C-alpha cells in the first residue's frame, strides 16, 4: 500500500465521530448510521443523550442530544475548557456531570476525600494535554475541581 493510500485510510477512520456532519432534526437512525454504536446512552429529562467517547485515554467525547421524538437537537464535543468552567460547585452532581461530559476516564478515591473523584482527559484551550479532576462532596454534589497537565502525556525531562 502506498503512503498516500495509507493516509486516506487513516483519515477515513478519523472522520467517524468528530468529522461527522449532522444536521439538527435528523432522526436517530441517521445519527446512529453516521456515528455507529454509542459508548453509552443516558436519559436527561425527556431527552436522550448518545455518548461517543474516545477513552479512557482519549481527550474527546461527543454527545448527540435527541429530543423525545428521537430527532437530533445538538451534536458537540463536550470535553472543553468552556464546559468545565460552567460547572456549578455545590449544585451540579454526578448525574449532571455524567450528562454533560460523559463517562470519566478514571474514577479515583483519595484518602483525604469522602467521595469519588472523576478524572477527564482533555485538550485545555485545544492546546495542552490536561486532566480535570471533579471531586464530589459527601452529599454527591461537586465539591471542587482541579485541573493540571496529563501525567500520562507530560514530557518527563531528564529521563
Amino acid at each position: 500500500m502506498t503512503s498516500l493510500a495509507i493516509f486516506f485510510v487513516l483519515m477515513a477512520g478519523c472522520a467517524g465521530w468528530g468529522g461527522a456532519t449532522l444536521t439538527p432534526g435528523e432522526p436517530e437512525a441517521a445519527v446512529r448510521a453516521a456515528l455507529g454504536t454509542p459508548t453509552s446512552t443516558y436519559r436527561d429529562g425527556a431527552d436522550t443523550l448518545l455518548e461517543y467517547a474516545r477513552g479512557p485515554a482519549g481527550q474527546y467525547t461527543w454527545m448527540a442530544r435527541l429530543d423525545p421524538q428521537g430527532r437530533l437537537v445538538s451534536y458537540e464535543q463536550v470535553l472543553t475548557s468552556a464546559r468545565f468552567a460552567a460547572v456549578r460547585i455545590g449544585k451540579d452532581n454526578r448525574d449532571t456531570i455524567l450528562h454533560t461530559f460523559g463517562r470519566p476516564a478514571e474514577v479515583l478515591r483519595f484518602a483525604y476525600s469522602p467521595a469519588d473523584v472523576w478524572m477527564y482527559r482533555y485538550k485545555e484551550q485545544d492546546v495542552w494535554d490536561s486532566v480535570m479532576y471533579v471531586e464530589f462532596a459527601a452529599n454527591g454534589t461537586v465539591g471542587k475541581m482541579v485541573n493540571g497537565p496529563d501525567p500520562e502525556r507530560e514530557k518527563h525531562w531528564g529521563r
Side-chain angles (χ1 to χ4, degrees):
M1 196 180 255
T2 69
S3 29
L4 186 57
I6 292 170
F7 171 76
F8 284 114
V9 168
L10 291 174
M11 290 307 291
C14 293
W17 297 337
T21 303
L22 297 170
T23 306
E26 289 190 52
E28 181 176 352
V31 173
R32 288 178 180 263
L35 303 175
T37 303
T39 52
S40 289
T41 302
Y42 309 106
R43 297 291 300 168
D44 189 22
D47 290 350
T48 300
L49 300 171
L50 305 179
E51 172 196 272
Y52 293 91
R54 298 280 180 143
Q59 298 172 312
Y60 301 94
T61 295
W62 284 267
M63 286 283 200
R65 179 176 290 276
L66 305 172
D67 67 15
Q69 291 73 42
R71 300 264 176 204
L72 184 67
V73 174
S74 62
Y75 173 65
E76 57 192 326
Q77 203 290 100
V78 296
L79 299 180
T80 66
S81 302
R83 284 220 174 215
F84 285 122
V87 171
R88 300 164 302 165
I89 304 296
K91 295 195 188 276
D92 282 312
N93 57 38
R94 285 177 177 82
D95 283 342
T96 60
I97 296 299
L98 187 64
H99 295 164
T100 301
F101 302 108
R103 64 182 181 190
E106 290 183 47
V107 176
L108 308 165
R109 173 84 36 127
F110 297 112
Y112 69 85
S113 176
D116 292 335
V117 177
W118 290 4
M119 186 199 59
Y120 291 92
R121 290 189 164 85
Y122 73 110
K123 282 283 206 187
E124 186 171 346
Q125 304 300 321
D126 291 324
V127 176
W128 297 284
D129 294 324
S130 300
V131 291
M132 180 64 72
Y133 297 97
V134 179
E135 183 177 320
F136 294 97
N139 68 0
T141 63
V142 175
K144 68 178 174 178
M145 296 176 59
V146 177
N147 73 325
D150 186 336
E152 289 191 8
R153 291 186 165 93
E154 182 179 314
K155 290 189 170 93
H156 298 284
W157 300 98
R159 284 191 194 187

